[in-house]
Amino acid sequence: MDLNSIWFVLVAVLFIGFFILEGFDYGVGMLLPWLGRDDQERRVVINTIGPFWDGNEVWVLTAGGAIFAAFPEWYATLFSGFYLALFLMLCALIVRAVAFEYRSKVADPRWRTTWDWVIFFGSAVPALLWGVALGNLLRGVPIDADKQFVGNFFDLLNPYALLVGLTTLSMFLLHGALFLNLKTTDELRERSLKLAQRIGPVATVLILAFIVATYSATDTFSRLGVNPGIIPVSALLTLLGAGWFVHTKQTGWAFIMTCLTIGLSVITIFMALFPRVMISSLDPNWSLTIYNASSSPYTLKIMSFVALIFVPIVLGYQAWTYWVFRQRVSTKSKLTY
């Protein structure tokens, strides 16, 4: 495996980590107005992700930096073509971060309710748009011979991409409900389990539709054949496993299953892309690949040494953070948000 392929795999791993960790983060944010019945309960909900939400976003920042350094042509075409969608996502993430910090500054219930809904929309918009972005990467977008995106924002809102967006939205809701069940107590814990039981069937139908649509609306089948279909089918099976564990109230195992579902789904997308990074819907020969969009071999080599040093440090620190804040949060806990 050459350095180009290695860095493609590393970018895929970063996105897998991001969607698994930020997935429950977005899910908790979307469930906030519905799960918490009063301000005290909503503070508990927010405090379950309080120590983690900003660290989880580091994964996508690192992925963006890796794309910029390893595949600059991919970065340029992606950010210019998806500019408006990424701008909307960035605005949502900014107001979401502000909401976390500001909601408890004033005791007025209207003030806090307003910021709670800001957290909801700041979580729902990225949860939907990330799926739309992945769907367009896999389906293809209008890219010309000069590697320039020649479409517009509405080209991105095609039925397949919107289906993928709804799939990520539902998966993150289920993922977040299970996380809340593992991190809360008493009534909040019971309510989150009931929400997971309601969201699970919807997520299952959507991910099944995602698999079928991917094999019919893209060139995935012609590129991967039948055998690699084990991975997307496994994504569906792990989601069904999550439903079974939710039914038997083994939410720890259910959470592991949703982690696997998200990870396997992202792997499916990157496997179908390889060695391409952006598919041209105008002419397959104009697609960006890990070779025509990459940096020089020397740059990739230097980046590899840097990654070998710093990635384990970052992983170790984040693992330590999750271990330190592993306890459940209740109304009796010290609430900071």
Side-chain angles (χ1 to χ4, degrees):
M1 184 181 290
D2 55 23
L3 285 176
N4 301 68
S5 300
I6 290 173
W7 273 98
F8 179 83
V9 172
L10 288 176
V11 169
V13 169
L14 288 170
F15 274 109
I16 291 170
F18 169 70
F19 285 121
I20 290 175
L21 297 178
E22 194 73 353
F24 71 72
D25 200 329
Y26 290 152
V28 170
M30 288 186 285
L31 292 172
L32 174 63
W34 317 105
L35 192 64
R37 293 181 176 173
D38 54 37
D39 179 66
Q40 188 77 351
E41 288 188 346
R42 291 182 180 182
R43 292 187 70 193
V44 170
V45 170
I46 296 175
N47 275 263
T48 61
I49 58 173
F52 313 124
W53 68 267
D54 49 354
N56 292 343
E57 292 182 351
V58 171
W59 285 78
V60 74
L61 295 176
T62 306
I67 293 173
F68 174 77
F71 305 106
E73 293 285 356
W74 180 15
Y75 183 92
T77 305
L78 177 67
F79 278 77
S80 61
F82 293 18
Y83 180 81
L84 182 56
L86 292 173
F87 177 76
L88 291 174
M89 189 186 300
L90 180 61
C91 289
L93 292 175
I94 289 173
V95 297
R96 180 174 184 264
V98 171
F100 282 134
E101 301 297 335
Y102 274 44
R103 78 170 304 278
S104 293
K105 300 299 183 183
V106 178
D108 186 346
R110 291 174 298 179
W111 169 273
R112 294 187 173 183
T113 299
T114 299
W115 288 116
D116 289 340
W117 282 105
V118 170
I119 292 173
F120 168 80
F121 286 107
S123 302
V125 170
L128 176 69
L129 291 182
W130 273 119
V132 171
L134 288 174
N136 279 292
L137 287 179
L138 191 54
R139 176 180 177 270
V141 291
I143 300 173
D144 63 16
D146 296 321
K147 303 176 184 176
Q148 298 293 320
F149 178 86
V150 293
N152 56 57
F153 174 73
F154 294 101
D155 290 331
L156 305 178
L157 302 180
N158 55 80
Y160 173 74
L162 290 174
L163 172 63
V164 182
L166 291 174
T167 303
T168 56
L169 185 73
S170 64
M171 273 305 308
F172 293 164
L173 280 169
L174 176 60
H175 202 39
L178 292 173
F179 179 80
L180 283 169
N181 183 267
L182 295 174
K183 290 290 292 182
T184 56
T185 60
D186 305 324
E187 291 186 14
L188 277 174
R189 187 182 181 190
E190 291 298 321
R191 259 180 264 149
S192 62
L193 179 62
K194 291 179 181 179
L195 277 173
Q197 291 170 339
R198 294 175 183 175
I199 298 167
V202 177
T204 302
V205 171
L206 284 171
I207 201 165
L208 177 60
F210 160 67
I211 294 171
V212 173
T214 298
Y215 271 82
S216 59
T218 71
D219 62 356
T220 299
F221 182 79
S222 62
R223 295 182 61 82
L224 298 183
V226 177
N227 292 332
I230 293 172
I231 293 179
V233 170
S234 296
L236 178 61
L237 292 177
T238 53
L239 183 57
L240 293 174
W244 169 255
F245 286 122
V246 168
H247 177 71
T248 58
K249 297 185 179 182
Q250 300 180 69
T251 50
W253 281 105
F255 184 74
I256 292 174
M257 291 297 105
T258 55
C259 289
L260 290 173
T261 300
I262 294 170
L264 291 168
S265 299
V266 177
I267 290 172
T268 299
I269 292 173
F270 275 86
M271 283 181 60
L273 278 174
F274 185 82
R276 305 164 300 178
V277 292
M278 288 189 76
I279 300 171
S280 173
S281 59
L282 302 179
D283 187 334
N285 295 321
W286 295 344
S287 299
L288 277 66
T289 70
I290 60 174
Y291 300 106
N292 66 17
S294 73
S295 296
S296 67
Y298 181 75
T299 301
L300 295 178
K301 185 180 296 185
I302 295 298
M303 288 175 56
S304 300
F305 285 115
V306 174
L308 284 173
I309 296 172
F310 288 102
V311 169
I313 296 174
V314 173
L315 291 176
Y317 172 76
Q318 193 155 33
W320 176 79
T321 302
Y322 276 89
W323 174 256
V324 170
F325 295 100
R326 66 188 182 278
Q327 295 85 1
R328 292 182 181 271
V329 183
S330 69
T331 54
K332 298 178 182 180
S333 303
K334 182 180 179 180
L335 304 177
T336 58
Y337 287 92

